Every structure is written in structure tokens, then in C-alpha cells.
Amino acid sequence: MSKIPTDFRRATMLVNEIETPLKIYRDILDMEIYYDKEMTISGVGVPAGEAGGQVRLVILQANDPYIGMLGILQYLDPPLPEPGDYPKRLGVGDTVFVMNVEDAEAVHKKLLEVPGVYIQSEPHVSEYPKPGGGVFRLLCMSFFDPNGYFIEANQWLSR
């Protein structure tokens, strides 16, 4: 297989409170902390916050040490303004984060205990056509985290 010149390394979520997302992505979904630093930002690369502001960036990794990472970025001083109520439906410009988990039922049960999590769909079996014929079977569940990010947490049943 030929190599494509681009790797999708990481997506970064902007949040106003970082401990609850860490409870979800580190403690429930079992991602590992790769990087955790407070720093001063230039305000040039990411169009948010103020130049010279203080942020905390935590980068979590899944099974690969190079791709599939998730950043969580909190603007500490000054904080970003609160966005208000998060939507419970997706539209253009929104993102769906898809994660494979070992036990979708256990993830669902733990998420029920996290304040602010909105369960969109409880674990259910879904089948998707394979490119070469046949079907993939997954146990799927989905939720909005307390910051409004939408996550599908899928468990392979058959490949």
C-alpha cells in the first residue's frame, strides 16, 4: 500500500473546565496522558483566547503513539466565554469523534455517572456493509460530553 503524504495526528477540544473531560477520556475511555503542560500562547496559530494568555494543554493517546491523539485545551487566564446551552443535534460544522472501545456497555454505565453527559443512544447493535461484501457488526453507543462534543463509542462484534 502506498503511503499518503498526510497523517491525521490529533483533534483538540476547547473546554472551560478540564477535569471532567479527563474523567471521561482518561478514566472511562482509558486513553493515556501523553502531554500535560501549562503555557503562554501567542494567539497566532489558534484563533481563540488572547495573545499572552495562559492555557493548559493535555494530549491523550489511544493505541498508537503517533496518530489517534486527542487534545484538550483549557484557556486559564483569561478563560474563554461560556457558550451557553449545547445543542443536542448535529449540523454543518459539527464533528463526530468515533472511538473503538473494548466494552461499550461498561463505558455507557460509567458515563451515566458523569454530570453533564447526554446519552444520545444506549448500546445497540449496528451493521454496516463491508467494502468487499458482507457486514461489519458493532455494539454502538453515542453521547455528548459536558462541553458539547459528540462521541460514538463502538465495540467490534465482527469484522
Side-chain angles (χ1 to χ4, degrees):
M1 178 156 77
S2 65
K3 184 171 167 69
I4 295 171
T6 302
D7 288 328
F8 188 90
R9 299 253 351 255
R10 177 181 87 225
T12 300
M13 301 173 162
L14 276 61
V15 303
N16 274 342
E17 184 276 315
I18 205 163
E19 293 306 321
T20 302
L22 285 175
K23 179 174 179 55
I24 294 170
Y25 301 101
R26 179 194 59 207
D27 302 342
I28 295 175
L29 294 173
D30 293 326
M31 297 180 80
E32 293 181 358
I33 291 181
Y34 170 80
Y35 181 91
D36 186 350
K37 298 286 183 206
E38 289 188 15
M39 64 192 93
T40 302
I41 56 162
S42 67
V44 175
V46 177
E50 296 179 16
Q54 298 295 307
V55 299
R56 178 179 175 197
L57 174 62
V58 176
I59 299 174
L60 301 161
Q61 71 181 40
N63 287 314
D64 191 287
Y66 183 72
I67 62 169
M69 293 191 171
L70 176 64
I72 304 174
L73 180 62
Q74 178 181 0
Y75 283 76
L76 301 168
D77 186 26
L80 295 177
E82 290 292 335
D85 291 337
Y86 296 108
K88 298 295 187 254
R89 299 208 38 89
L90 298 175
V92 173
D94 291 331
T95 301
V96 176
F97 292 87
V98 179
M99 300 182 178
N100 288 333
V101 299
E102 288 185 4
D103 188 341
E105 294 279 358
V107 167
H108 174 256
K109 184 177 178 181
K110 291 175 185 176
L111 287 170
L112 291 172
E113 299 174 11
V114 180
V117 167
Y118 174 79
I119 302 294
Q120 173 64 35
S121 68
E122 295 184 358
H124 62 282
V125 175
S126 292
E127 294 184 346
Y128 299 95
K130 289 182 180 180
V135 294
F136 296 112
R137 292 186 75 243
L138 297 111
L139 184 61
C140 304
M141 60 125 350
S142 60
F143 64 97
F144 286 90
D145 80 0
N147 291 289
Y149 293 102
F150 185 73
I151 312 298
E152 281 187 23
N154 301 325
Q155 174 187 339
W156 285 104
L157 298 176
S158 69
R159 293 184 195 219

